[in-house]
């Protein structure tokens, strides 16, 4: 497959995507994709905008206390929208004129990290849902030894979530490579993230994660989140970290 | 060594640190460390605040176009200050009263991620200085294949830096685990960072990284940075990623 | 009335507030208010935390396309919560020990501007709802002459809103004192705001402003917002600016 | 003068500006200005990008402890750069295609508020320098009555500044219209600002405000700032607020 064929594929993929679920917004990106195809053909995947949307791995009708409507809207609009937007942004960065003022580069790069982290964190979030909420194994040991007890850790995680209620953000239990300790980190928007580590458990605190079901009741949402944690997935992540 | 002995050691270490180079600022943290010792003794390393300052690995008198005065001030004040501050913050989080309002938790957690990333990114930055500026090997291959050419990559990296000139931030060449592609990411402050990846090459764009030598001439600083990149270190990071 | 009596009143007011609608969150602040009463008695209103909650000026059952449930939740939880939190924060700043590390001051000051702007912008927002959505008079003239046409202005305002959909923020039509021109400004959180001007029309784009009624359909919410704008209030604001 | 003539003047002004002091950066904006002239001709001053650079009102060789080199670099690079950039951004917003994706609008609007506030705050900052540092009159009365004492206020202002040392931001003594009280507000970047008030005293804490003279010694800079405050200007601002 030549690069030309690859890029033809991308443009066609964009067209199909735009026909399916985001036509009006996507038109601008479509025109852009075609115009800049020639330019990006000389570049590599950093500018190709080829990120794919990942489907939910669990049945959205089966969560406890989180409705199908909420989960499907969250996945189709907020997550999928971030992936599509990221693809547009990467193509636009790759085709920015050489004499464009620096602020244009900066503003696009900011949009890129916003959309990239939104994509990544949503994928971790959805993938750590769909379980029975019962922690055990590697992650339980890490939490207990690094926070003193599972209860102390859970209180810290929940309070960090509550501090974000009514606004936006994420709570991320990360394995921090600097000190080899797990920490619950606060993020007030998609850009805030540990610089060197691996997310183990991710809780979305944007209001789109709960307002449809819980209104302003962030605490009720956090309870529901805990009941649906897929600790097997969290353990897979923790074990992958320890194997490296 | 019992946990009690360990914590005694931390408090004594704090006292020594405070005697050496940050007495006035550190007093509050010292009092705090002592008061909360008992409480933190029941918790683990997530709240212990035991991060150590790492020395420079290169001779700061030997860089091309970056003065000893600049580098030493950067390391002693900005980097070391972040490590000391982080230790205070982690202890304070561990001793926050259970009935404290949520905003208190949120504000401390924000300070924690600010100081954590400042520590981490400064360590990557200093460690990728002290070289001869000549790229080769694994990282050259990654850059060329993901950006189309080394020139395209370098232009992208420099322009991202220029968009941050006169302000604050970082340019970070990350290996992104989501798409297995290297990308130059923009960060306007310490909190902005890729959610899932590994920093390969880090350039500090806070004005403390260059104003002493270059004033407002961010472009001159970026030239000097490129001349001093330790590509061997960057290659070690890239190869570690590929081995995992 | 002595300052002592005034502060007794504040503490009692806090107690009443805590009994009514935020007991668990408020307890920490209550203890703090009492402990620090003596200290704040020597200071002035900058630290007194005496901001009052303002009631809705319109009947929340009468808006077009925005439910009573949504509006009342928004007012009671998001807006009123910000006022209560601000009062706690101001008292805490006033009682911060002199030897506290600088990051503690910075983090509280950040919380203060977040809560202050949340209070102010929510008040402007609610006060510019409850109307018939028909613009005329001073504001129509300002908009047309500064944007070329009312249509151009409205498109700019709506697109700025759409850029914030699925996240957080505000769209604020400000009178900018620097150039004496009205501009639609973007704000991604409560802290982003024009440094020298007066808000004329404020649209909340936090998801709590619409998700209960519209889910992820930000565009539907913006349509409803426009139908309910109280342009008489906007004109009062614009005329006050021009009189000064 | 027709609008056509006015816009011809703008484009010529841009050309002259680009010849004088920012040629390489400005070229992109120049091409843009010409292409979009026709479109902006139908719009008003919100998109015209006509902000002018204001000269220093004091002799930069005469400040105590702040060098001419520092002040002139700050004015020519950081402040003037913001004004020129703002003009480009406003023109670009005015010419954004109707079908551009929402993120493009959002990213330009973000750049607009960053540059607008940088322009405004720098103007307030320079204008409140060049004095003898001795406070009296209206502002002294406001400070004492709202903070309890001048000493309490100054400590609060200085500590807020110290919390920003080594990073970016502003300390702004604002008259807050909501409570009719003066407050020292923290800003970590140009976008953070009180939503409804008037700046009375502004201190730049970006490192470009001091690193050339003071390196990492933020405390030394704050001392120098206080020695040069033009309290007559601060009083003019305070009295204008009280007259309205």
């Amino acid at each position: 497959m030549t690069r030309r064929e690859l890029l033809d594929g991308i443009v066609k993929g964009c067209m199909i995507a735009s026909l399916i679920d985001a036509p009006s917004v996507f038109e601008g990106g479509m025109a852009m994709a075609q115009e800049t195809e020639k330019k990006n053909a000389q570049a590599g995947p950093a500018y190709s905008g080829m990120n794919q949307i990942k489907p939910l791995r669990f049945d959205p009708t089966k969560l406890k206390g989180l409705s199908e409507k909420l989960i499907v809207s969250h996945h189709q609009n907020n997550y999928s929208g971030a992936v599509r937007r990221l693809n547009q942004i990467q193509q636009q960065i790759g085709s920015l004129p050489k004499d464009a003022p620096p602020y244009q580069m900066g503003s696009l790069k900011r949009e890129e990290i916003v959309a990239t982290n939104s994509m990544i964190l949503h994928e971790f979030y959805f993938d750590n849902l769909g379980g029975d909420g019962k922690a055990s194994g590697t992650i339980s040991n890490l939490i207990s030894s690094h926070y003193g007890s599972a209860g102390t850790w859970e209180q810290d995680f929940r309070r960090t979530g509550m501090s974000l209620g009514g606004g936006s953000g994420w709570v991320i239990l990360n394995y921090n490579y600097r000190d080899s300790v797990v920490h619950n980190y606060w993020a007030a928007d998609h850009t805030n993230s540990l610089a060197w580590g691996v997310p183990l458990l991710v809780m979305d605190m944007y209001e789109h994660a709960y307002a449809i079901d819980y209104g302003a009741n962030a605490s009720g949402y956090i309870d529901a989140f805990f009941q649906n944690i897929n600790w097997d997935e969290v353990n897979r992540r923790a074990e992958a970290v320890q194997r490296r």
Side-chain angles (χ1 to χ4, degrees), chain A residues 125-173:
Chain A
Y125 172 71
F126 287 123
D127 285 354
N128 61 215
L129 286 177
D132 65 4
K134 289 171 191 152
S136 64
T138 303
I139 190 66
S140 288
N141 294 336
L142 279 171
I143 283 173
S144 297
S145 61
H146 294 177
Y147 274 86
S149 74
T152 300
W153 169 80
E154 184 173 329
Q155 186 194 40
D156 184 289
F157 192 92
R158 284 173 177 266
R159 292 176 80 186
T160 306
M162 287 304 291
S163 77
L164 296 163
S168 60
W170 300 88
V171 185
I172 307 169
L173 172 65

Side-chain angles (χ1 to χ4, degrees), chain A residues 91-116:
Chain A
Q91 292 173 17
Q92 197 183 355
I93 292 173
S95 62
L96 194 66
K98 285 199 179 182
D99 61 354
Y103 78 82
Q104 292 188 10
M105 186 64 156
S107 67
L108 290 172
K109 287 278 184 169
R110 179 179 173 276
E111 295 295 329
E112 186 185 26
I113 190 73
V114 170
T116 299

Side-chain angles (χ1 to χ4, degrees), chain A residues 173-234:
Chain A
L173 172 65
N174 258 288
Y175 188 90
N176 179 334
Y177 283 139
R178 170 57 166 74
D179 61 6
S180 303
V181 171
V182 298
H183 294 269
N184 296 325
Y185 290 109
W186 166 104
D189 67 29
H190 300 309
T191 68
N192 303 150
S193 187
L194 181 65
W196 193 36
V198 170
L200 301 178
L201 175 66
V202 173
M203 177 169 69
D204 194 340
M205 287 302 301
Y206 276 72
E207 293 169 303
H208 56 243
Y210 60 91
I212 289 175
D213 285 355
Y214 287 92
N217 179 15
S219 177
Y221 160 67
I222 296 173
D223 288 345
F225 173 80
F226 265 86
Q227 288 177 358
N228 289 288
I229 294 176
N230 181 347
W231 288 102
D232 291 340
E233 170 65 16
V234 178

Side-chain angles (χ1 to χ4, degrees), chain A residues 18-41:
Chain A
S18 81
L19 289 172
I20 298 170
D21 58 358
S24 66
V25 168
F26 219 83
E27 275 160 33
M30 197 47 38
M32 185 177 70
Q34 289 165 332
E35 282 166 24
T36 64
E37 183 192 352
K38 208 166 175 182
K39 186 150 199 168
N40 283 342

